[in-house]
Structure formats: C-alpha cells, structure tokens
Amino acid sequence: MARQQRVVIVGGGVIGLLTAFNLAADVEQVIVLERGGAGQESSWAGGGIVSPLYPWRYNCAVTALAHWSQDFYPQLAERLFASTGIDPEVHTTGLYWLDLDDEAQALEWAGREGRPLGAVDMSAVHDAVPVLGGGYAHAIYMANVANVRNPRLVKSLKAALQAMPNVTVHEQCEVLGFVREGERVCGVNTARGEIRGDEVVLSAGAWSGELLSGLGLELPVEPVKGQMILYKCASDFLSCMVLAKGRYAIPRRDGHILIGSTLEHEGFDKTPTLTALESLKASAVELIPALADAEVVGHWAGLRPGSPEGIPYIGRVSGFDGLWLNCGHYRNGLVLAPASCQLFADLLLGREPIIDPTPYAPEGRI
C-alpha cells in the first residue's frame, strides 16, 4: 500500500529520475523538477563506463556503491527495456588499463575485493584489440566491466516514469529556492510558482551546492567540466574498452567510439573548446591510430558534480526536516546511480538499507 506522501525531487538527471523510479511504488505522488531537459546535463554527457576509471584509488565508500551497481545494472536495463521498449544498452566488453604507474596497487585491490582483474601479456591485448596502438609495455584487464549508453538510459527512465500515473516530470522548471515553515522544508519556489511536498530531495548535480546555499548551508559540490568526442566506425572496429594516460575509448554496440575526457575547473561554463578537441583527438590516435582517418561526429562538454573524495551525499539533512540529499557523485554518477538511488529509497521509506549508509550521511559533512 502506497504511503500518503508527496515527494518533490529537484533535478531530473539519472539520479533524480532513478530516485523517482524507486520511490513511485511506495509513495502517493512523486514530482520531478528539472531546470532544462531531463537527463541533458552530465547524465547525457558522460561516457557510461559502469566502473570508476581507477576503482582501486577510491575510498571504500565509493567501492561499496560501485560493486552493488555493477551487479545490478543488467537487471535494471532489462526491466526498463521490457517496460518501455527503449534499450539502455548495457554492453559488457571488459576494460584494459595500459601502462599504469600503480598496477601493483590495482592487483592488490582486486585480490582483496574479489574482483576479476589481472595482469595480461601485451601480445594477448593486441590479439584481442588489433586496432590498439603500439608502444605500450604492460596491461591489466577486468572482464566483466560494461558500459551503459547513457542517453538511452535517460530516455528509458523518462519513458518509464511517464507511464506511472503518480509521477510527474516538469522540464524547463527551474527551482529558485526552498519553502520553509519553521524548521521544516515543505516545498520549493519555482519559476512556475510554489510546489509543496512532504519530502524534498535535492538531486541537482553540479547545481546542488548553489541551491543549498540559500538555506545557509555549505555543500562542497562544485562544477567540474569534462569534454568528450565521438567517432563513428564499423560495429566490429573496437571490441573492448581501453584506458591509458587518463584517457579512454568506449565502444558502443553500433560502432560509435567515445573518447574522453578532460577535467577542467571552469565554473559553470560548458563551452566545448578547440584546445580540448585537439587534445582528445591526439589521445584517440595514440590509443587507436586508425582513428586518424575517422570523422569526429560529436564534441561536447558537461559539468560533473565534484565532491570531496567523490563520495556522494545521500540522506536526511539534519536541522531541516523534510529535506534530503542524493547528490555529489562527481565522476561516477552513472556508475553509482542504481545503488545510490536504492539506498536513498531505503532511507526515506525506513527500510533496511542495502549497504551501511553512514559514509554518505550529510550530517557532519556540510
């Protein structure tokens, strides 16, 4: 039986949409408010590797969410595809890391965490990825790493929500601030007027810190720009994801190859630049020389919600009844979304949480 609760979610990226999807069966009404188009910011702009780029370099709090999500993604994609007819394309290719400085640390982490990552001979890598450039000396490989086609994931989530009678997604509806009654946050002010809710969830990506500052709270979430380029190749051109010198190549099922990404602190400016384009092209050709003859069919920039150590804020904001956070996922929003949104739903609905929620609690961190 659905609870008599009206939940307002600020932000219609993957985190906001999946939060709505996970809550819909258990609350009376869910309203998602998005300042632009749903899922058109970092959710659309990212690469969609279903793993942190260097998982062994992260705090165990990020690892816990990543492991849960990696295991859950295939069934989430199947469920969305079955209900909407839009396939998020969770594509399991495996991932090669080349010439890492901290390879020993990576292998030690894999042994400790029980992840299928191991050293491989370079001749085996060239057999598996014939288009790979020369000059690499050593490699490690994890077989079960997938990528999700994030624009399709967004479309699928949006379609699933539009089919739910108790969910409303308002696009082009910017939230300007919060409505308070005493200690309680009971809604938001928008360009279209006041929208009330029993619970208000802030999932506004890189904009979350700015919104929360209106309550006198300092949330250390800031925009970090990333630029990507896209090539179109034959569908069998690249079989695996490869990563070297901080840049990666991701094959989609239809032959599109994503190359990313930059890491820039430029405020809220997300203008693609010629400098980044040339740098990404150079990385692409170094990784895969044949891309020198391929056409760049896309170049864009997005803003990641940067946070300390990349640990998201998930849970209730103390001192502000009715206000919740699910934000600050930095470079791993798509990776961590299934676990973050399940954990969030568990907390809001008072269920047993899937993992220990303590590391993500806003209390003591803002």
Side-chain angles (χ1 to χ4, degrees):
M1 186 71 184
R3 299 170 178 221
Q4 301 302 301
Q5 265 178 317
R6 180 178 162 112
V7 179
V8 175
I9 298 171
V10 181
V14 163
I15 299 292
L17 296 175
L18 191 51
T19 298
F21 185 77
N22 285 351
L23 290 175
D26 294 286
V27 301
E28 183 183 13
Q29 190 178 13
V30 183
I31 300 167
V32 180
L33 307 174
E34 167 52 47
R35 61 193 284 280
Q40 295 303 298
E41 293 291 350
S42 62
S43 298
W44 184 90
I49 300 176
V50 185
S51 169
L53 289 185
Y54 305 97
W56 55 89
R57 297 178 188 173
Y58 280 92
N59 183 291
C60 56
V62 173
T63 301
L65 291 172
H67 285 183
W68 196 94
S69 290
Q70 284 166 323
D71 295 340
F72 187 74
Y73 246 117
Q75 67 193 75
L76 172 65
E78 282 172 24
R79 184 178 165 196
L80 287 169
F81 187 23
S83 67
T84 67
I86 302 166
D87 187 358
E89 290 190 18
V90 173
H91 184 30
T92 304
T93 63
L95 172 58
Y96 287 99
W97 288 266
L98 307 172
D99 290 359
L100 284 169
D101 292 334
D102 57 352
E103 185 178 292
Q105 187 186 338
L107 294 170
E108 190 268 332
W109 170 88
R112 190 175 67 244
E113 297 287 338
R115 303 314 273 184
L117 182 151
V120 285
D121 189 79
M122 274 314 301
S123 63
V125 183
H126 283 288
D127 287 345
V129 190
V131 292
L132 185 68
Y136 298 106
H138 43 102
I140 59 174
Y141 177 66
M142 189 146 66
N144 65 346
V145 184
N147 67 77
V148 62
R149 196 156 182 177
N150 34 308
R152 304 247 172 125
L153 174 65
V154 165
K155 281 183 187 168
S156 189
L157 274 170
K158 191 176 160 186
L161 293 177
Q162 285 170 334
M164 294 176 174
N166 64 328
V167 178
T168 311
V169 179
H170 290 299
E171 297 178 281
Q172 315 302 327
C173 181
E174 185 171 4
V175 170
L176 308 171
F178 298 94
V179 178
R180 293 177 68 186
E181 288 178 356
E183 294 289 290
R184 183 162 192 85
V185 171
C186 55
V188 293
N189 288 308
T190 78
R192 303 184 191 181
E194 197 173 276
I195 296 175
R196 293 268 176 154
D198 301 299
E199 316 287 346
V200 176
V201 186
L202 182 58
S203 295
W207 290 265
S208 299
E210 285 212 327
L211 277 167
L212 213 53
S213 68
L215 294 173
L217 292 170
E218 277 193 43
L219 179 72
V221 171
E222 59 170 8
V224 182
K225 182 175 175 177
Q227 298 190 49
M228 311 272 289
I229 57 175
L230 184 70
Y231 293 93
K232 181 71 172 83
C233 301
S235 59
D236 60 353
F237 175 75
L238 180 65
S239 59
C240 299
M241 295 182 280
V242 289
L243 192 159
K245 298 181 182 176
R247 297 278 168 88
Y248 50 77
I250 305 172
R252 301 302 199 205
R253 283 186 191 157
D254 64 2
H256 279 100
I257 309 289
L258 274 168
I259 303 289
S261 71
T262 63
L263 207 60
E264 305 163 63
H265 293 265
E266 302 282 347
F268 286 94
D269 172 25
K270 53 174 189 168
T271 313
T273 63
L274 190 58
T275 310
L277 176 63
E278 294 308 322
S279 171
L280 289 164
K281 277 182 173 177
S283 294
V285 172
E286 188 178 355
L287 264 177
I288 303 165
L291 290 178
D293 301 320
E295 181 193 356
V296 174
V297 294
H299 172 213
W300 62 87
L303 299 174
R304 309 173 183 89
S307 59
E309 295 187 84
I311 301 171
Y313 298 87
I314 305 171
R316 191 189 294 275
V317 180
S318 60
F320 294 85
D321 288 350
L323 181 62
W324 300 76
L325 302 183
N326 191 3
C327 59
H329 293 74
Y330 195 15
R331 303 190 74 174
N332 294 309
L334 288 157
V335 184
L336 306 180
S340 296
C341 298
Q342 186 62 53
L343 175 61
F344 180 87
D346 291 343
L347 294 172
L348 188 138
L349 297 168
R351 298 188 301 222
E352 180 71 25
I354 51 162
I355 57 173
D356 178 11
T358 311
Y360 321 100
E363 193 166 359
R365 297 178 64 209
I366 58 174

